[in-house]
Amino acid sequence: MNQIASNWKDYEVIDTGNKEKLERWNNVVLRRPDPVCIWPIEDETAWKKADAVYHRSKNGGGSWEYKKRLKEFWTIGYRGLRFKISPTGFKHTGLFPEQAANWDFMMNAIEKSDLEEIRVLNLFAYTGGATMACAKAGASEIVHVDAAKGMVQWAKENMELSNLEDKKIRFIVEDCVKFVKREQRRGRTYHGIVMDPPSYGRGPNGELWKLEDQLFELITECQKILDKDALFFIVNCYTTGFSCSTLEQTLKHSLLKEFPGSVEVGENLLPVSNGDVLPCGIFGRWTNKRED
């Protein structure tokens, strides 16, 4: 089951090709690398109007070429939320728009639930798109965990931009696995867990993370703090070569053994203005509803 983030108004994929994508972020047009776009660009006209272009370096990383002067940051909106957008040295902008489909799912699950209290844990939480969505939907507490102090600060700015300061959001800079194990010892549980683990990375104290070696362990540890009345458990994956079937089997061999419900997997997609779709990684999702 694929899901497409089709409810954006402030964001648009204008065109794709030659391992690049052309995007509109509110009124700013950016041209960025995207290795999945292996087909050719059929019409260069729109691409020439980009306000900024990211060029990869042969030595790794890259830099932005600005065709016109841009603000240091600007904002885009989604369902009453506002997010800070700023081009970074690693081609990113501070938001993954394809995740809006997951935000919609979580917001719907929270809004429709009759639970008096809903606690959500967002791991590898980046700048907090899922955190803000769950807070907006009415979750009683959201715990936002990321090893990068700068990203957590960015998430706090998104909270303020979205006028969610009155919500109970706990921002924590820590290695995610260590945090989960500490929550186990405390006896804390969550009604929703969402994670967006990197393919490879290091924690704040140099802890090594490699997805294919540690994802099963992470999910197994997380299910120990999943509440008996849990609503959802969502895993996003951008690792090349990590298939939907692999993620599905991982969830079935972990979560379904302890928590009755259903598992679904698929691609995260973004619509392209010409009618195409842009693949943006995969997702796996457990819910407490059994398949008919």
Side-chain angles (χ1 to χ4, degrees):
M1 180 196 121
N2 297 334
Q3 61 180 11
I4 186 164
S6 57
N7 294 323
W8 280 102
K9 295 181 175 60
D10 283 0
Y11 172 83
E12 172 189 11
V13 181
I14 301 169
D15 200 4
T16 60
N18 289 357
K19 296 186 177 181
E20 291 184 289
K21 56 189 173 187
L22 187 69
E23 308 160 290
R24 177 181 63 83
W25 299 82
N26 205 337
N27 58 355
V28 177
V29 177
L30 301 179
R31 180 172 182 167
R32 297 193 290 159
D34 195 319
V36 306
C37 305
I38 61 174
W39 45 90
I41 295 173
E42 296 182 356
D43 186 349
E44 291 275 358
T45 305
W47 296 79
K48 296 176 181 178
K49 299 178 182 178
D51 298 314
V53 181
Y54 187 88
H55 299 287
R56 284 195 182 278
S57 168
K58 293 180 181 179
N59 301 319
S63 61
W64 287 94
E65 175 191 2
Y66 292 96
K67 303 293 186 177
K68 76 173 194 179
R69 187 178 181 85
L70 298 179
K71 295 179 179 179
E72 183 180 347
F73 73 89
W74 61 99
T75 66
I76 65 173
Y78 187 83
R79 293 188 62 178
L81 300 169
R82 291 215 72 81
F83 300 105
K84 170 187 170 182
I85 303 300
S86 182
T88 71
F90 295 95
K91 85 172 181 176
H92 297 302
T93 62
L95 199 68
F96 292 98
E98 67 274 9
Q99 290 301 319
N102 279 324
W103 305 343
D104 290 341
F105 175 86
M106 290 184 287
M107 293 176 82
N108 184 61
I110 291 168
E111 289 168 351
K112 287 188 173 182
S113 173
D114 57 4
L115 293 175
E116 292 184 5
E117 186 176 3
I118 298 176
R119 298 179 299 277
V120 178
L121 175 61
N122 187 6
L123 296 172
F124 309 94
Y126 195 47
T127 61
T131 297
M132 307 313 149
C134 291
K136 181 76 172 178
S140 52
E141 180 183 5
I142 304 95
V143 179
H144 174 112
V145 185
D146 197 284
K149 185 177 181 180
M151 292 300 103
V152 173
Q153 178 57 41
W154 197 325
K156 292 178 180 179
E157 294 177 48
N158 284 334
M159 175 187 68
E160 294 170 358
L161 287 168
S162 297
N163 297 313
L164 295 170
E165 297 97 325
D166 62 328
K167 303 297 183 180
K168 188 176 181 181
I169 303 175
R170 295 172 55 209
F171 294 99
I172 297 171
V173 180
E174 189 174 354
D175 175 77
C176 289
V177 177
K178 287 184 176 179
F179 176 80
V180 167
K181 290 183 177 180
R182 195 166 73 246
E183 291 293 82
Q184 292 173 12
R185 294 192 292 271
R186 291 171 171 166
R188 291 259 299 169
T189 61
Y190 294 89
H191 302 90
I193 297 177
V194 56
M195 64 178 73
D196 199 349
S199 301
Y200 176 87
R202 291 188 180 274
N205 297 313
E207 301 91 341
L208 180 64
W209 165 268
K210 195 173 181 182
L211 184 97
E212 55 263 44
D213 293 340
Q214 292 173 271
L215 183 60
F216 186 84
E217 177 192 357
L218 175 63
I219 293 173
T220 301
E221 294 299 328
C222 284
Q223 77 179 49
K224 296 176 184 177
I225 58 173
L226 195 63
D227 196 87
K228 61 181 179 58
D229 294 323
L231 302 174
F232 57 81
F233 190 113
I234 300 174
V235 182
N236 292 289
C237 178
Y238 293 91
T239 302
T240 304
F242 205 91
S243 71
C244 287
S245 295
T246 301
L247 187 52
E248 181 178 28
Q249 294 304 312
T250 299
L251 291 171
K252 285 184 174 180
H253 283 283
S254 52
L255 283 171
L256 278 187
K257 286 185 174 294
E258 300 291 336
F259 292 87
S262 63
V263 166
E264 54 190 6
V265 298
E267 287 189 272
N268 289 312
L269 304 171
L270 282 168
V272 184
S273 296
N274 62 8
D276 290 343
V277 293
L278 175 62
C280 303
I282 63 175
F283 74 94
R285 183 163 62 213
W286 169 89
T287 61
N288 60 5
K289 296 179 181 178
R290 296 176 184 266
E291 296 177 350
D292 294 332

